[in-house]
């Protein structure tokens, strides 16, 4: 039997290469492995349902998993209140999750930042920060989790076209 110093390959070499080094640093991300994985979608769904926020699951980084899980946990959004805010029928007192939904829907519907910022009573700087956060959420959160928001976005687009046609 060859001595450990002379061994050229190990059956565990691929598993040990992914372990965290002794100095505590994380190994490089391996998101590329997820792109070819046949169960990527199921892996992501499992991570979301179980609330897993660490590691790479379903091709998403830890930060992206945190955003998706936070979105799922904060889904107590009344889209009728979001609709009322964006259509200016009345101005309800919105929860933080509803404010985030207002921004995501407004961006999707093409409503200018100044308009939705005024509806939320926030300034330019806060609106820019919310817009940046919303764009990241739109990139990260799967469309299947945002079906109702997407439907509201389409409704508002149609309403805006109708309103512009009447005004002309």
């Amino acid at each position: 039997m060859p001595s450990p110093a002379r061994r050229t390959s190990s059956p565990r070499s691929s598993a040990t290469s992914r372990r965290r080094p002794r100095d505590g640093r994380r190994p490089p991300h391996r998101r590329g492995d997820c792109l070819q994985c046949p169960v990527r979608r199921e892996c992501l769904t499992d991570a979301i349902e179980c609330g897993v926020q660490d590691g790479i699951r379903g091709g998403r980084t830890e930060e992206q998993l945190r955003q998706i899980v936070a979105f799922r946990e904060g889904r107590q959004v009344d889209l009728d209140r979001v609709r009322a805010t964006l259509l200016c029928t009345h101005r309800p007192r919105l929860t933080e999750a509803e404010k985030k939904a207002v921004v995501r829907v407004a961006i999707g519907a093409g409503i200018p930042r100044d308009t939705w910022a005024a509806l939320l009573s926030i300034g330019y700087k806060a609106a820019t920060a919310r817009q940046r956060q919303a764009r990241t959420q739109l990139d990260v959160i799967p469309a299947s989790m945002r079906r109702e928001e997407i439907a509201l976005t389409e409704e508002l687009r149609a309403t805006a076209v109708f309103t512009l046609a009447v005004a002309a």
Side-chain angles (χ1 to χ4, degrees):
M1 177 162 178
S3 67
R6 300 179 75 205
R7 199 174 283 164
T8 56
S9 67
S10 166
R12 296 173 41 119
S13 64
S14 62
T16 56
S17 66
R18 293 184 184 144
R19 287 194 184 137
R20 194 174 284 206
R22 288 191 178 121
D23 61 3
R25 291 180 296 146
R26 292 176 182 239
H29 290 296
R30 306 279 307 219
R31 284 181 58 195
D33 294 345
C34 294
L35 298 177
Q36 287 81 28
C37 183
V39 293
R40 182 177 132 194
R41 185 168 299 216
E42 290 84 2
C43 182
L44 179 60
T45 302
D46 181 60
I48 293 167
E49 288 175 359
C50 295
V52 175
Q53 298 178 23
D54 55 331
I56 295 177
R57 299 282 305 265
R60 305 293 183 166
T61 64
E62 290 180 5
E63 181 60 31
Q64 292 171 333
L65 284 172
R66 275 190 220 99
Q67 289 179 0
I68 293 170
V69 170
F71 174 80
R72 187 169 192 260
E73 290 171 354
R75 287 182 77 172
Q76 301 301 324
V77 175
D78 185 354
L79 288 178
D80 290 332
R81 293 162 51 90
V82 172
R83 179 185 293 107
T85 301
L86 289 169
L87 292 176
C88 303
T89 56
H90 70 281
R91 293 181 56 175
R93 189 169 189 90
L94 300 173
T95 65
E96 187 61 29
E98 289 169 339
K99 290 176 184 177
K100 290 177 181 179
V102 164
V103 178
R104 286 191 302 267
V105 171
I107 288 172
I111 298 172
R113 177 178 51 207
D114 295 340
T115 303
W116 58 259
L119 295 171
L120 294 176
S121 302
I122 59 176
Y124 174 80
K125 201 171 187 179
T128 303
R130 281 192 183 268
Q131 185 177 33
R132 190 177 319 113
Q133 181 185 34
R135 287 191 189 282
T136 301
Q137 289 172 342
L138 290 171
D139 290 340
V140 170
I141 300 168
S144 60
M145 292 178 66
R146 298 185 314 104
R147 284 189 188 117
E148 294 102 5
E149 281 186 14
I150 292 170
L152 179 57
T153 299
E154 296 300 323
E155 176 188 328
L156 290 174
R157 279 188 194 151
T159 303
V161 169
F162 175 73
T163 304
L164 291 174
V166 171

